[in-house]
Short mmCIF file of all heavy atoms in Angstrom, two decimals:
data_model
loop_
_atom_site.label_atom_id
_atom_site.label_comp_id
_atom_site.label_asym_id
_atom_site.label_seq_id
_atom_site.Cartn_x
_atom_site.Cartn_y
_atom_site.Cartn_z
N ARG A 76 -5.11 4.01 -1.65
CA ARG A 76 -5.37 2.78 -0.85
C ARG A 76 -4.36 1.68 -1.13
O ARG A 76 -3.19 1.89 -1.06
CB ARG A 76 -6.80 2.30 -1.10
CG ARG A 76 -7.86 3.28 -0.70
CD ARG A 76 -8.04 3.38 0.80
NE ARG A 76 -8.86 4.55 1.12
CZ ARG A 76 -9.09 4.99 2.34
NH1 ARG A 76 -8.59 4.34 3.37
NH2 ARG A 76 -9.81 6.06 2.53
N LEU A 81 -1.08 6.22 -10.55
CA LEU A 81 -1.37 7.23 -11.57
C LEU A 81 -0.25 7.23 -12.60
O LEU A 81 0.92 7.09 -12.25
CB LEU A 81 -1.49 8.61 -10.91
CG LEU A 81 -2.73 8.80 -10.04
CD1 LEU A 81 -2.49 9.87 -8.98
CD2 LEU A 81 -3.95 9.16 -10.89
N ARG A 110 -5.11 3.68 -12.46
CA ARG A 110 -5.35 2.24 -12.47
C ARG A 110 -5.41 1.75 -11.03
O ARG A 110 -4.76 2.29 -10.14
CB ARG A 110 -4.27 1.51 -13.28
CG ARG A 110 -3.10 0.94 -12.50
CD ARG A 110 -2.02 0.39 -13.44
NE ARG A 110 -2.42 -0.83 -14.14
CZ ARG A 110 -2.13 -2.06 -13.69
NH1 ARG A 110 -1.45 -2.24 -12.59
NH2 ARG A 110 -2.52 -3.12 -14.37
N LEU A 121 -14.05 18.05 -3.43
CA LEU A 121 -14.53 18.84 -2.29
C LEU A 121 -14.65 20.32 -2.68
O LEU A 121 -13.87 20.83 -3.49
CB LEU A 121 -13.57 18.70 -1.10
CG LEU A 121 -13.54 17.32 -0.44
CD1 LEU A 121 -12.43 17.24 0.61
CD2 LEU A 121 -14.89 16.98 0.20
N PRO A 123 -14.61 24.50 -1.91
CA PRO A 123 -13.52 25.30 -1.34
C PRO A 123 -13.41 25.29 0.18
O PRO A 123 -12.32 25.19 0.72
CB PRO A 123 -13.83 26.70 -1.86
CG PRO A 123 -14.49 26.47 -3.17
CD PRO A 123 -15.31 25.21 -2.99
N TYR A 129 -11.80 18.46 6.20
CA TYR A 129 -11.94 17.04 5.89
C TYR A 129 -10.64 16.30 6.18
O TYR A 129 -10.62 15.25 6.83
CB TYR A 129 -12.33 16.87 4.41
CG TYR A 129 -12.56 15.43 4.01
CD1 TYR A 129 -13.82 14.87 4.07
CD2 TYR A 129 -11.49 14.63 3.59
CE1 TYR A 129 -14.03 13.53 3.72
CE2 TYR A 129 -11.69 13.30 3.24
CZ TYR A 129 -12.97 12.77 3.30
OH TYR A 129 -13.16 11.45 2.95
N ASP A 131 -7.89 17.40 7.92
CA ASP A 131 -7.37 17.54 9.29
C ASP A 131 -8.09 16.63 10.28
O ASP A 131 -7.53 16.24 11.30
CB ASP A 131 -7.45 18.99 9.75
CG ASP A 131 -6.45 19.87 9.00
OD1 ASP A 131 -5.52 19.32 8.38
OD2 ASP A 131 -6.62 21.11 9.03
N ARG A 136 -0.28 15.38 12.18
CA ARG A 136 0.77 16.26 11.64
C ARG A 136 1.61 15.58 10.58
O ARG A 136 1.76 14.36 10.57
CB ARG A 136 1.69 16.72 12.77
CG ARG A 136 1.04 17.74 13.69
CD ARG A 136 2.01 18.10 14.81
NE ARG A 136 1.43 19.09 15.68
CZ ARG A 136 1.65 20.42 15.57
NH1 ARG A 136 2.45 20.88 14.63
NH2 ARG A 136 1.08 21.27 16.39
N ALA A 145 9.34 15.94 18.55
CA ALA A 145 9.06 14.75 19.36
C ALA A 145 7.91 15.00 20.33
O ALA A 145 7.13 14.09 20.64
CB ALA A 145 10.32 14.32 20.11
N LYS A 185 14.97 1.28 17.88
CA LYS A 185 15.22 0.17 18.80
C LYS A 185 14.08 0.00 19.80
O LYS A 185 14.29 -0.19 21.01
CB LYS A 185 16.55 0.35 19.55
CG LYS A 185 17.77 0.43 18.64
CD LYS A 185 19.04 0.45 19.48
CE LYS A 185 20.28 0.71 18.64
NZ LYS A 185 21.48 0.83 19.43
N VAL A 186 12.87 0.10 19.29
CA VAL A 186 11.67 -0.06 20.12
C VAL A 186 10.87 -1.25 19.58
O VAL A 186 10.65 -1.37 18.37
CB VAL A 186 10.80 1.22 20.11
CG1 VAL A 186 9.44 0.98 20.73
CG2 VAL A 186 11.53 2.35 20.84
N PRO A 191 3.69 -0.99 24.71
CA PRO A 191 2.53 -0.09 24.83
C PRO A 191 2.96 1.36 24.57
O PRO A 191 3.94 1.84 25.12
CB PRO A 191 2.09 -0.28 26.29
CG PRO A 191 2.64 -1.63 26.69
CD PRO A 191 3.93 -1.77 25.93
N GLU A 209 13.48 9.58 9.66
CA GLU A 209 14.59 9.02 8.86
C GLU A 209 14.10 7.95 7.88
O GLU A 209 14.56 7.91 6.73
CB GLU A 209 15.66 8.42 9.78
CG GLU A 209 16.51 9.49 10.43
CD GLU A 209 17.57 8.91 11.37
OE1 GLU A 209 17.59 7.67 11.57
OE2 GLU A 209 18.36 9.71 11.90
N GLY A 233 10.00 2.35 -7.77
CA GLY A 233 10.79 2.89 -6.67
C GLY A 233 11.84 1.89 -6.25
O GLY A 233 11.78 0.71 -6.62
N ILE A 259 6.41 -11.20 13.32
CA ILE A 259 5.28 -11.48 14.20
C ILE A 259 4.06 -10.75 13.64
O ILE A 259 4.16 -10.11 12.59
CB ILE A 259 5.54 -10.97 15.65
CG1 ILE A 259 5.90 -9.48 15.62
CG2 ILE A 259 6.64 -11.79 16.31
CD1 ILE A 259 5.97 -8.84 17.01
N SER A 293 -8.34 2.14 24.08
CA SER A 293 -7.72 2.63 22.85
C SER A 293 -8.82 2.98 21.85
O SER A 293 -9.75 2.23 21.64
CB SER A 293 -6.77 1.59 22.27
OG SER A 293 -7.48 0.40 22.02
N SER A 298 -7.34 4.10 9.55
CA SER A 298 -6.22 3.70 8.71
C SER A 298 -6.24 4.42 7.37
O SER A 298 -5.71 3.94 6.40
CB SER A 298 -6.24 2.20 8.50
OG SER A 298 -7.44 1.84 7.86
#
Side-chain angles (χ1 to χ4, degrees):
R76 299 285 168 187
L81 290 155
R110 95 187 290 265
L121 291 173
Y129 182 92
D131 290 344
R136 287 178 178 265
K185 300 187 187 176
V186 169
E209 284 179 357
I259 55 171
S293 58
S298 61

